[in-house]
Amino acid sequence: MLLEINHLEVSFPSENGWNTAVQDISFSVDHGQVLGIVGESGSGKSVSSLSIMGLVQKAGGRISQGQILYDSPTLGKLSLEHVPQEIHRQIRGKEIAMIFQEPMTSLNPLMTCGQQVTETILLHQKVSKEEAKNQTIALFEQVQLPRPQAIYESFPHELSGGQKQRVMIAMALSCKPSLLIADEPTTALDVTVQKEILEMMRDLVKEYNTALIFITHDLGVVAEIADEVLVMYRGVALEQGKVKDIFENPQHPYTKGLIACRPKLENNPKRLPTVADFMEGREIIQTPEIAPKKPETLIPVLDIKNLKTYFPLDKPFFGQPKKWVKAVDDVSFQVMKGETLGLVGESGCGKSTLGRSILRLVEPTSGNIFFEGKDIRKLGTNDMRALRKDIQIIFQDPYSSLNPRMTIGEAIIEPMRVHHILENDTQRHLKAVELLETVGLQAEHLQRYPHEFSGGQRQRIGIARTLALNPKLIICDESVSALDVSVQAQVLNLLNDLKEKFGFTYIFISHDLSVVKFMADRLVVMRKGKIVEQGEAKEIYKSPREEYTKALIDAIPVVHFED
């Protein structure tokens, strides 16, 4: 066995002593095998992997008990919990490599992508700089990066998210490790890029006979890649076994909840079951499929005509730019009152720029944006500020859109004050309490700061702040893509409940088509700044006209096992 972990316990210091992050975990993985570790944020899955890498101690933690037995090809059998850091440095990167979740923070922004991979090769292999460069370019070809020579000379900020992730994979594979740990490597990626990376990692496991530990919160992804799965919750292993067995016959309520809470393509229930429903033993009511509202019976609240938003690629000292990025290119569609319009496409297709252009957070180049009959593009500064009360946006990352120095109460009350909603701060405070309770939080949370909340809670706070202005149209810009699937289900249900209660109109922007299918009545598919297909969501999923749309739908992870 290449790696065997027995009764591992990992603790971190706190004001009240040591807190246990991982408790009595045991698992093993051998050459050519893929182990999926599944769980929500805080379940201990990443801490387990950092223990293998010898990085827990660097973060201030300690391995309280247990064994990490590793059969090193060069050093023989090792107990990694006891070996000195020099040994860890010797095998880290060379024999045990790790792909981190966020490639932008893992890659050095001051070095080219090629230099960073070459540096790893030179550190662990006795080769010349020229040979290291040739190996790097060959690796870039292997991980299917376009223009490998050009990407060798490119800096991380010049690449897309999927390309940066491929550079990280190339770096991890540069020394042909025996064990590869992939920590949420596809979470922030489009479904098409995710599918490519999963297929590529499967092929690499076969080619190099590498052992792979694949960490994720999405069981659908695990079904695509893993042989065995370990389900973790709050530092404890709840269930483990063959992937097929776990999916077809889950034993623990938490596992059942994780499987059930992901939106399915086959049907469109009114509500998604949540992990909390299963954990608390609530009856799971199979809600009937809801029919989409017919646009012809509704009133257009937003009418976009021939909208273009271009960004200059070159900025000459004199004259006009000659090259442009056409982020939004001649787009026209309507949003009906009370409906949810889904806006989908890969990263870089222009969907987020379109959402920002509607609010004029990005100034459009040409075209018309009619909101309730008024052309937004013709409004002055004061009128535009007043209009933003009626059109609100919920951003993808609630932490960066909340002021870290402002309490949650102040973050919700401030926009009400700016737009003169209610008569005084006492009334606004009471309204803020009501809004927090509406999104499933408590009054006592008003005095806390953003860093004291989880990602799902921060997203709820962002929703509460949006509700404070009683908007007519809400743009949800990738507002659930960074959340665990269990939290995602709760937030999607909440958004639908609020729509029913307050009669909201949504534009729901996402690269996750299964989520959009659950939310949307109608669908607009974008590619390279243009609309390639639009219509009733159910019909587009059932029979897409465009090959691009079909590729997006085919890339969604589907749980299916061969008999």
Side-chain angles (χ1 to χ4, degrees), residues 192-487:
T192 47
V193 179
Q194 174 179 272
K195 185 179 182 182
E196 288 170 11
I197 288 199
L198 291 176
E199 285 175 355
M200 185 184 70
M201 291 181 82
R202 266 200 307 262
D203 292 343
L204 293 169
V205 166
K206 286 178 187 173
E207 185 178 343
Y208 292 121
N209 199 29
T210 303
L212 173 62
I213 296 176
F214 194 96
I215 298 168
T216 181
H217 63 257
D218 191 339
L219 271 164
V221 172
V222 164
E224 292 261 313
I225 194 167
D227 305 308
E228 299 212 356
V229 63
L230 168 71
V231 182
M232 291 185 69
Y233 177 69
R234 294 184 179 176
V236 178
L238 297 182
E239 200 163 347
Q240 63 187 111
K242 298 285 183 189
V243 171
K244 187 173 186 285
D245 296 340
I246 297 289
F247 272 90
E248 293 182 350
N249 189 25
Q251 299 300 306
H252 198 280
Y254 178 74
T255 314
K256 292 175 183 177
L258 277 184
I259 293 169
C261 71
R262 192 89 170 85
K264 307 289 190 295
L265 285 178
E266 316 77 78
N267 54 40
N268 217 37
K270 189 174 180 181
R271 291 186 70 76
L272 288 171
T274 66
V275 170
D277 292 335
F278 285 87
M279 293 289 279
E280 292 164 23
R282 290 196 286 266
E283 185 184 357
I284 309 300
I285 300 167
Q286 297 297 323
T287 51
E289 190 163 335
I290 50 170
K293 294 181 179 179
K294 298 291 182 186
E296 57 268 19
T297 63
L298 300 169
I299 306 159
V301 69
L302 187 74
D303 192 0
I304 291 172
K305 294 184 176 177
N306 309 110
L307 191 69
K308 297 178 181 179
T309 303
Y310 294 176
F311 298 106
L313 264 178
D314 57 335
K315 293 186 178 180
F317 200 73
F318 295 107
Q320 290 294 314
K322 291 184 173 63
K323 293 180 180 177
W324 299 83
V325 173
K326 297 179 180 181
V328 178
D329 193 12
D330 199 22
V331 164
S332 300
F333 64 89
Q334 291 182 327
V335 184
M336 305 302 172
K337 188 174 181 181
E339 80 167 342
T340 299
L341 180 86
L343 195 56
V344 299
E346 295 175 298
S347 294
C349 72
K351 56 189 187 294
S352 289
T353 303
L354 175 56
R356 286 166 166 76
S357 298
I358 292 166
L359 272 166
R360 284 178 60 191
L361 298 173
V362 172
E363 201 61 49
T365 307
S366 66
N368 304 98
I369 307 165
F370 293 101
F371 177 72
E372 294 186 330
K374 285 184 192 171
D375 192 344
I376 290 174
R377 292 203 62 222
K378 293 178 180 175
L379 298 180
T381 306
N382 291 336
D383 289 336
M384 192 65 221
R385 188 179 292 122
L387 181 79
R388 288 201 178 111
K389 171 185 171 295
D390 293 328
I391 308 176
Q392 282 285 296
I393 188 164
I394 303 170
F395 293 101
Q396 175 175 356
D397 182 1
Y399 191 71
S400 61
S401 57
L402 290 168
N403 187 334
R405 297 181 178 181
M406 194 180 275
T407 65
I408 296 312
E410 191 58 28
I412 296 171
I413 289 166
E414 185 191 41
M416 289 194 272
R417 198 182 290 137
V418 168
H419 289 281
H420 310 293
I421 292 171
L422 302 176
E423 294 176 11
N424 54 54
D425 276 2
T426 304
Q427 291 181 2
R428 292 177 190 123
H429 183 274
L430 291 171
K431 180 69 174 174
V433 171
E434 182 191 321
L435 289 168
L436 278 184
E437 289 173 348
T438 300
V439 299
L441 296 171
Q442 284 89 43
E444 67 219 41
H445 291 143
L446 281 177
Q447 303 309 315
R448 296 186 190 173
Y449 289 87
H451 72 270
E452 298 179 74
F453 295 89
S454 69
Q457 287 174 322
R458 285 199 292 265
Q459 198 58 282
R460 288 165 183 270
I461 292 159
I463 293 168
R465 186 176 58 174
T466 298
L467 297 180
L469 299 178
N470 301 317
K472 296 173 181 174
L473 173 66
I474 298 175
I475 300 169
C476 303
D477 186 8
E478 299 276 14
S479 52
V480 296
S481 63
L483 303 178
D484 292 327
V485 284
S486 54
V487 179

Side-chain angles (χ1 to χ4, degrees), residues 51-66:
S51 304
I52 300 164
M53 296 289 289
L55 296 173
V56 158
Q57 294 85 343
K58 286 181 176 287
R62 70 179 185 190
I63 295 174
S64 317
Q65 66 177 46

